[in-house]
Amino acid sequence: DAMVIQNPRYQVTQFGKPVTLSCSQTLNHNVMYWYQQKSSQAPKLLFHYYDKDFNNEADTPDNFQSRRPNTSFCFLDIRSPGLGDAAMYLCATSREKYQETQYFGPGTRLLVL
Amino acid sequence: QKEVEQDPGPLSVPEGAIVSLNCTYSNSAFQYFMWYRQYSRKGPELLMYTYSSGNKEDGRFTAQVDKSSKYISLFIRDSQPSDSATYLCAMGSSNDYKLSFGAGTTVTVRA
């Protein structure tokens, strides 16, 4: 089945220790998104790629970076995680940018000690 | 004021009841509307997609959109314990790549 896959499902890191989360998709969608979701809150868009074109949301901290080496894979790098970065990180894809459904992966739950 | 407001819940209903979930929004440019179901510690799963106003039915689920009132609803008939989850509304416009989400309503269906 075509899908969005995220690894790892759970990640524990130490305060200030860089961490990388990965997302892959078999849907061959052009757009990939990264969201941060905290408990009982709506997902918050961090950035997205349209093909190789990277778009950062204005309020995304500089601590967060992303890479998309090819159509199928996208990575979220958190350079120096703080306690406030503990959250669920969701990857999503859509075929095109506008008027399209977004399909989500299962998420990576990040814990910062 | 948030762009999308969703009834906060939580809702607890007996098995077999009808569940009614609602969102209101302020941006008249929104044209397409979605409902996602999110089980605990999992990613959101698309349930319903509706473009513009009207009703859409899929099995036990019915989505309604009233653009004149800026109001959308999701009804779950004959609710089952497996419907226990958080339901997120989301909406978008033709000229913006971003979706606007509600904060979610947590539903528990008691056996």
Side-chain angles (χ1 to χ4, degrees):
Chain A
D1 284 342
M3 58 178 58
V4 182
I5 301 161
Q6 290 187 245
N7 286 302
R9 295 294 312 281
Y10 299 93
Q11 177 73 57
V12 181
T13 191
Q14 292 178 336
F15 183 93
K17 186 174 180 181
V19 66
T20 294
L21 310 181
S22 76
C23 177
S24 63
Q25 54 126 343
T26 61
L27 296 160
N28 202 31
H29 282 174
N30 288 317
V31 193
M32 295 186 79
Y33 308 81
W34 280 105
Y35 288 87
Q36 179 191 66
Q37 187 182 28
K38 296 188 175 180
S39 182
S40 302
Q41 295 184 21
K44 178 180 180 296
L45 184 63
L46 296 173
F47 23 62
H48 76 278
Y49 274 94
Y50 180 71
D51 196 13
K52 294 184 189 299
D53 183 24
F54 176 72
N55 295 271
N56 200 31
E57 294 303 300
D59 57 354
T60 298
D62 292 340
N63 200 24
F64 291 83
Q65 303 287 323
S66 184
R67 297 169 282 135
R68 188 179 186 186
N70 54 52
T71 301
S72 301
F73 284 87
C74 196
F75 299 97
L76 170 62
D77 300 308
I78 309 176
R79 291 192 296 191
S80 182
L83 297 179
D85 296 327
M88 173 78 92
Y89 289 88
L90 297 165
C91 175
T93 73
S94 65
R95 193 171 54 91
E96 291 294 337
K97 273 179 81 160
Y98 302 108
Q99 292 187 235
E100 292 280 342
T101 305
Q102 292 184 19
Y103 296 90
F104 285 84
T108 295
R109 181 163 294 277
L110 178 68
L111 181 62
V112 181
L113 301 178
Chain B
Q1 183 186 3
K2 292 180 184 176
E3 201 168 40
V4 179
E5 298 275 3
Q6 184 168 359
D7 290 351
L11 288 179
S12 179
V13 301
E15 185 174 356
I18 295 175
V19 176
S20 173
L21 303 166
N22 306 295
C23 288
T24 58
Y25 61 94
S26 56
N27 187 347
S28 58
F30 288 147
Q31 292 179 296
Y32 59 105
F33 306 88
M34 285 155 283
W35 286 95
Y36 287 89
R37 177 175 63 195
Q38 187 172 23
Y39 290 115
S40 181
R41 302 181 184 272
K42 299 285 178 66
E45 169 195 9
L46 180 70
L47 273 179
M48 302 286 279
Y49 174 98
T50 310
Y51 183 79
S52 196
S53 282
N55 294 357
K56 184 174 182 179
E57 190 172 315
D58 184 2
R60 296 184 295 111
F61 298 90
T62 299
Q64 288 185 349
V65 174
D66 182 347
K67 289 187 70 179
S68 62
S69 302
K70 297 191 180 68
Y71 189 89
I72 70 170
S73 299
L74 178 71
F75 299 96
I76 308 173
R77 291 185 300 280
D78 188 24
S79 58
Q80 305 294 312
S82 59
D83 296 325
S84 298
T86 297
Y87 291 81
L88 296 161
C89 63
M91 45 200 80
S93 61
S94 62
N95 58 357
D96 190 350
Y97 59 87
K98 291 176 71 168
L99 293 182
S100 292
F101 286 86
T105 303
T106 298
V107 174
T108 300
V109 180
R110 307 186 306 272

